[in-house]
């Protein structure tokens, strides 16, 4: 098990501790899923791919910290630089 901390956005924004696929896994080459191509039963033509989750990782994740949505006015305030709040730049030349 290789646990990583990552931010998920579904179903809501949260900091989670999640398992990740093994990068040198022989089954999935680190992709975490194994592709099974299947063909049409009568013609034998390629008909699609089944994706099977690889046993080298599990898809569970533990929510460590739910992240609240920021109110819009807080989000906008963070975009402006702090010294520009009064409308004057303190960069030289003054
Ligand atoms: Zn694997």
């Amino acid at each position: 098990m290789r646990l990583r901390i990552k931010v998920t956005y579904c179903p809501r924004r949260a900091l989670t501790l999640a398992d990740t696929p093994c990068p040198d896994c022989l089954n999935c080459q680190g992709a975490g899923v194994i592709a099974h191509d299947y063909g049409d039963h009568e013609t034998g033509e390629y008909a699609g791919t089944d994706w099977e989750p690889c046993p080298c990782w599990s898809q569970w994740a533990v929510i460590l910290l739910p992240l609240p949505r920021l109110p819009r006015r807080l989000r906008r305030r963070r975009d402006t630089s702090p010294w520009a709040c009064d409308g004057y730049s303190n960069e030289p030349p003054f």
Side-chain angles (χ1 to χ4, degrees), residues 21-22 24-34 53-57:
C22 171
D24 356 281
C25 173
L26 296 178
N27 290 325
C28 67
Q29 280 82 42
V33 288
I34 306 163
C54 184
C56 71
W57 71 302

